[in-house]
Amino acid sequence: WAEAVYPNTQAEQDIIQQGMNIPAEKFTVLHNGVSGEFQHADAKQFEKEYGLKDFTLCVGHIGPARKNMLNTVKAMAELDHPCVIIARLFDTGERDAVLKQIEQSPNITLIPGLENTSPLLASAYAACKTFVLASQFETPGRAAMEAALAGANIVITPHGGTKDYFADMAIYADPYSVTSIVSSIGQSLQNKKSDALKQHIATNFTWEVIAKKTLQAYEKVLAQP
């Protein structure tokens, strides 16, 4: 009965459209958004507080299996490179195994979860070389979008619609393969930082851009007889 349906990705539209036999003309993809403030992140605060730069960073949740943190930290442990995890802890699933792996990995620094508006979080995005989000799936992985806006290279899951957002400007790792995650991070660390993804996110996926597209979609429905 809906006049319009607004999925976050083309992949989501395909699933809904095919599964529920909804006409294609009802759909408009309205992507998720991210604060444009991350474009102006400064690495100096994080570098001063932790003495780290050009590291590998993961921001997310430790515990839920979907976030795939156990495979992520196993991959990080194999790297001869400093890694940082900024995460909230949940008393579920993988938490204990993830914490045990971190304790055994001297190259991994764990920082308790920071608020999204924290200047230190934005600074961490700017200070890292590579941001990794090897979840089982993401739509789209807003932390990765924030990191991209701050200039980081991105390694991310291919599942859940992420290619709608990162196109060919990220490296896609198989979340079920520690070897793939290690290889993807290693490749990303060798790559120079580029402004291409940063500009792509800034042009297409800030909340200001998404809000205007949402308004246009609503106005189209309201204009129907």
Side-chain angles (χ1 to χ4, degrees), residues 136-222:
Q136 292 177 0
F137 61 89
E138 291 285 350
T139 55
R142 284 177 55 200
M145 294 170 69
E146 293 167 355
L149 270 181
N153 294 340
I154 303 298
V155 171
I156 196 165
T157 178
H159 305 304
T162 52
K163 292 182 180 180
D164 265 30
Y165 296 80
F166 299 96
D168 61 353
M169 290 168 279
I171 296 174
Y172 295 94
D174 178 358
Y176 301 101
S177 167
V178 172
T179 300
S180 175
I181 299 170
V182 171
S183 175
S184 297
I185 294 174
Q187 179 184 340
S188 179
L189 289 172
Q190 292 178 8
N191 294 342
K192 293 182 178 180
K193 284 187 174 182
S194 168
D195 282 341
L197 180 56
K198 179 176 184 175
Q199 294 303 321
H200 174 68
I201 300 294
T203 299
N204 297 287
F205 302 119
T206 63
W207 281 125
E208 289 80 5
V209 172
I210 301 303
K212 289 178 181 178
K213 291 182 177 180
T214 303
L215 177 61
Q216 292 170 357
Y218 286 2
E219 288 176 337
K220 182 179 178 180
V221 171
L222 293 172

Side-chain angles (χ1 to χ4, degrees), residues 43-73:
K44 293 179 181 178
Q45 181 182 356
F46 191 90
E47 291 174 0
K48 181 178 180 180
E49 188 158 339
Y50 287 93
L52 295 171
K53 63 184 297 184
D54 292 335
F55 50 91
T56 295
L57 174 66
C58 179
V59 175
H61 303 131
I62 292 177
R66 182 178 75 82
K67 289 298 184 180
N68 203 40
M69 278 293 197
L70 185 55
N71 278 355
T72 298
V73 295

Side-chain angles (χ1 to χ4, degrees), residues 72-177:
T72 298
V73 295
K74 285 180 177 179
M76 286 180 165
E78 293 189 21
L79 298 169
D80 184 18
H81 189 83
C83 299
V84 175
I85 296 176
I86 300 174
R88 290 189 173 91
L89 300 178
F90 291 84
D91 189 16
T92 59
E94 298 182 336
R95 188 194 69 168
D96 292 345
V98 171
L99 293 179
K100 182 178 180 180
Q101 180 66 66
I102 291 173
E103 289 173 2
Q104 297 172 350
S105 307
N107 68 316
I108 301 177
T109 298
L110 174 62
I111 301 171
L114 300 172
E115 292 296 327
N116 186 255
T117 54
S118 168
L120 188 60
L121 175 62
S123 184
Y125 287 145
C128 76
K129 176 69 176 291
T130 290
F131 181 90
V132 57
L133 196 63
S135 311
Q136 292 177 0
F137 61 89
E138 291 285 350
T139 55
R142 284 177 55 200
M145 294 170 69
E146 293 167 355
L149 270 181
N153 294 340
I154 303 298
V155 171
I156 196 165
T157 178
H159 305 304
T162 52
K163 292 182 180 180
D164 265 30
Y165 296 80
F166 299 96
D168 61 353
M169 290 168 279
I171 296 174
Y172 295 94
D174 178 358
Y176 301 101
S177 167

